[in-house]
Amino acid sequence: MAKEYSYYPGCSSQKGASSSNQLRSTQAICDVLGIKLNEIPDWNCCSASIGYAGGGELPRLALSARNIALSEKHHPNQDVVATCAACWLATRETNDRLTENKELFAETNEALKEAGLVFNGQKKVRHMVEVLIEDIGFEEMGSHVKKPLEGIKIAGYVGCQTNRPFGINGESFENPMYLDKMVETLGADSIPDYDKKVACCGGALMFSEPEKSQALVKEILESAHDSGADMIVTPCPVCQMNTEVYQDAINAKYGTKFNMPSVYYSTLMSVAYGQTAEQAALSGQVIRATKLEEIADK
Amino acid sequence: MKYRNNFLREVEANVEEGEWVKRCMQCGVCAGSCPLGPHWEHPPQEIFMMIRAGKREEVLGSDSMWMCTSCYNCIARCPRELPITHIMHGLAHYATRLGLVSENQQTNKFAQRFWNNLTKKGRVNELKLGLSLYFMNGIPEGIKTSLKMQKVGLGMWKTKRMDPMEILGGHGCKDTSGLQAMLKKASEIEAAKKVKV
Ligand code: SF4
Ligand code: SF4
């Protein structure tokens, strides 16, 4: 029987949006692993970590509380699961803060009443990676590998918000190992001491402070390149986009020659599971992951 | 009670997680944690000290907290467990409410646009947000940025990660009226609790 979850996809994974390829490849691997993701009906934006200029604390908490309340109503007994780091962080933080703080709980519910909803605090809010590690396990993840990613060296770039302040259970803030373990499970070579593993890509400030943020990305790419990486893998939509799509701009500014694919773990898994390039969403790469394309076409 | 001469108390009452500021022991760990560190005129440690020293205009008019990338390094490391990220966001929000942010603060402009974009339909329209962002510093500047970003846009469009049709409306919640009523209520509750300065 399929394991069912109440799924919060988030704005950037919608059709025609910047991480739609993450959603596609995630759905592909869930089919293999017997995971059923039920989309939370009428979910709204979590306001990420940049809504704060316009939105105060309570309006921002109310946004995530609305999603949890919808999940409680439509998917009782299913954990809330998010694939986006910012979505997960905002939703989990709201869940924690409202259940710990009676005043915020009451105030948020007063606001939610306007939308005809109630937040009870009955849910667990989890990251997709936690579902894979805790509910599926590395052994089972490995058992579905049909085309091991042999000979590919991959820098596991965990980034910030999948790692702090909550992080994946049992992992350290400074050197989480799960992404490297996933890479090894799929038959590729990991770089466990990749020294920019948990460095910041600039996040949303890539839009408002592009030069400063691109300088951060340059270091992340340099370190991956110098460690011999063929590509970068990441769980986070912001990390993925920031490490991939600005390489031209960085090359122009710094005279570097980066052409480093940056992929989601779900794309890696999908290729290793023998799925098509279409299922793995390889067409979503702005910098093509040719080594993965070759394996998928085999 | 008078708040005018006591900035610390004002922050405690009106800034998200402001009541934590007095617990800072000035160890300096957070000051070395910000990815854009060199661009912070006053790192978080210094901001906390300045709040206690009553430097209201310097703190609220500062660019510093707008350099926060929300990386959560500080929270993971602070020995006193201050929610530093939230306090930085809270100060940024409070300064915006009071109209003390300089007109050219880019992150302020972006963050404000992000919020306006998402509250309109309940979900972010990346295309409209992107375009409004390119043009946030005026039309000539906008055309320059658009040209510079053309390649990125083209790449996103070709890989179906950007949809030009979004300009006509695009994604949104069904119950936008309920969502907006909820946000209005939340803002009212919050405003009623703020102390007038
Ligand atoms: S790390 Fe914490 S205690 Fe140390 S200076 Fe920063 S806020 Fe204060
Ligand atoms: S979350 Fe903000 S304040 Fe904290 S270390 Fe990162 S940039 Fe600095």
Side-chain angles (χ1 to χ4, degrees):
Chain A
M1 221 181 70
K3 294 187 167 71
E4 296 202 41
Y5 301 88
S6 182
Y7 181 51
Y8 177 38
C11 298
S12 63
S13 75
Q14 297 174 99
K15 195 160 177 284
S18 59
S19 73
S20 44
N21 49 335
Q22 183 180 36
L23 181 58
R24 253 197 301 150
S25 50
T26 300
Q27 263 155 359
I29 61 164
C30 283
D31 289 344
V32 176
L33 297 168
I35 294 172
K36 187 155 178 269
L37 300 177
N38 303 310
E39 181 171 334
I40 298 175
D42 209 37
W43 58 266
N44 56 262
C45 173
C46 71
S47 93
S49 353
I50 196 70
Y52 56 77
E57 181 182 15
L58 201 60
R60 280 182 282 129
L61 288 169
L63 282 173
S64 289
R66 181 176 177 276
N67 290 328
I68 302 170
L70 284 166
S71 170
E72 286 178 349
K73 183 172 164 189
H74 296 284
H75 305 142
N77 310 317
Q78 292 173 22
D79 292 345
V80 175
V81 170
T83 33
C84 167
C87 289
W88 174 57
L89 195 159
T91 313
R92 174 156 169 194
E93 185 175 302
T94 299
N95 204 42
D96 287 3
R97 285 184 71 191
L98 297 191
T99 40
E100 280 159 17
N101 184 324
K102 285 202 183 96
E103 197 182 336
L104 284 180
F105 181 92
E107 288 168 355
T108 308
N109 267 317
E110 203 183 323
L112 273 177
K113 216 189 290 160
E114 300 288 322
L117 292 165
V118 190
F119 169 90
N120 296 302
Q122 305 295 337
K123 286 274 177 173
K124 246 176 118 173
V125 178
R126 304 171 70 197
H127 192 285
M128 188 66 201
V129 165
E130 294 181 309
V131 169
L132 292 177
I133 296 174
E134 292 162 9
D135 300 1
I136 303 292
F138 284 102
E139 201 175 316
E140 169 148 14
M141 270 191 264
S143 72
H144 297 279
V145 173
K146 294 206 176 90
K147 295 176 175 170
L149 309 178
E150 271 158 8
I152 306 182
K153 203 163 174 189
I154 306 177
Y157 175 48
V158 178
C160 296
Q161 296 191 348
T162 321
N163 189 45
R164 298 180 297 267
F166 301 117
I168 302 302
N169 226 343
E171 296 280 2
S172 78
F173 291 135
E174 310 291 341
N175 191 16
M177 298 303 292
Y178 66 88
L179 210 47
D180 299 318
K181 258 172 102 178
M182 281 173 134
V183 165
E184 295 284 335
T185 303
L186 302 174
D189 297 323
S190 68
I191 306 171
D193 54 359
Y194 172 46
D195 66 358
K196 291 291 173 186
K197 191 186 268 188
V198 295
C200 178
C201 69
L205 267 63
M206 183 58 89
F207 295 108
S208 52
E209 299 282 1
E211 309 259 302
K212 299 182 180 82
S213 303
Q214 283 170 20
L216 300 178
V217 170
K218 174 179 163 269
E219 291 182 12
I220 293 163
L221 295 169
E222 262 171 5
S223 158
H225 175 271
D226 291 355
S227 321
D230 297 306
M231 63 185 73
I232 289 173
V233 63
T234 176
C236 169
V238 183
C239 294
Q240 195 284 328
M241 170 141 168
N242 282 356
T243 53
E244 184 187 32
V245 308
Y246 301 102
Q247 290 189 29
D248 273 340
I250 292 170
N251 289 339
K253 172 147 195 220
Y254 296 97
T256 45
K257 293 199 177 100
F258 295 124
N259 187 35
M260 172 86 62
S262 177
V263 304
Y264 292 112
Y265 63 86
S266 44
T267 290
L268 281 187
M269 289 174 77
S270 179
V271 172
Y273 288 178
Q275 295 181 302
T276 62
E278 186 54 34
Q279 286 171 304
L282 282 170
S283 59
Q285 296 299 128
V286 172
I287 297 180
R288 290 173 60 180
T290 38
K291 292 205 169 178
L292 295 178
E293 285 176 14
E294 280 160 22
I295 295 178
D297 290 342
K298 238 185 348 214
Chain B
M1 192 160 64
K2 282 205 185 89
Y3 283 101
R4 191 174 303 243
N5 300 321
N6 194 333
F7 185 40
L8 175 62
R9 258 191 266 164
E10 180 184 340
V11 168
E12 287 176 339
N14 291 354
V15 173
E16 177 170 356
E17 304 283 6
E19 64 280 9
W20 283 86
V21 170
K22 60 175 173 295
R23 294 176 52 96
C24 167
M25 64 180 191
Q26 290 293 308
C27 71
V29 167
C30 58
S33 297
C34 303
L36 296 183
H39 305 288
W40 287 66
E41 194 191 349
H42 308 294
Q45 170 202 12
E46 221 170 282
I47 296 257
F48 298 144
M49 189 178 68
M50 289 163 74
I51 291 172
R52 288 195 281 199
K55 297 192 187 285
R56 187 173 192 272
E57 277 66 41
E58 288 97 316
V59 169
L60 293 176
S62 167
D63 256 351
S64 293
M65 57 273 191
W66 297 101
M67 294 292 150
C68 173
T69 62
S70 308
C71 74
Y72 290 80
N73 266 331
C74 51
I75 291 194
R77 293 175 187 161
C78 172
R80 284 286 171 91
E81 299 181 338
L82 267 78
I84 302 166
T85 318
H86 304 74
I87 305 172
M88 294 303 124
H89 295 177
L91 285 168
H93 177 72
Y94 190 48
T96 308
R97 255 179 33 119
L98 298 177
L100 296 173
V101 186
S102 92
E103 247 181 61
N104 276 322
Q105 218 316 310
Q106 301 293 303
T107 300
N108 171 269
K109 285 192 188 179
F110 173 51
Q112 191 73 54
R113 273 167 178 72
F114 187 92
W115 181 256
N116 296 345
N117 184 302
L118 89 87
T119 49
K120 209 165 271 161
K121 297 186 89 180
R123 293 185 191 172
V124 163
N125 181 318
E126 288 182 340
L127 184 67
K128 283 189 190 163
L129 176 66
L131 288 176
S132 82
L133 189 67
Y134 292 171
F135 287 92
M136 76 185 180
N137 297 319
I139 297 202
E141 193 59 28
I143 293 172
K144 243 177 28 207
T145 316
S146 303
L147 287 174
K148 219 160 87 188
M149 297 301 287
Q150 210 176 22
K151 244 179 137 178
V152 172
L154 212 59
M156 298 301 278
W157 174 68
K158 277 203 249 163
T159 53
K160 297 200 170 62
R161 289 163 64 184
M162 190 186 86
D163 179 3
M165 296 314 278
E166 283 275 300
I167 201 80
L168 301 175
H171 301 293
C173 285
K174 284 194 213 86
D175 185 24
T176 34
S177 57
L179 182 116
Q180 283 167 355
M182 169 191 90
L183 289 173
K184 185 161 167 270
K185 186 78 185 174
S187 301
E188 283 166 10
I189 298 171
E190 193 163 88
K193 289 205 311 187
K194 302 272 181 205
V195 176
K196 279 245 163 15
V197 182

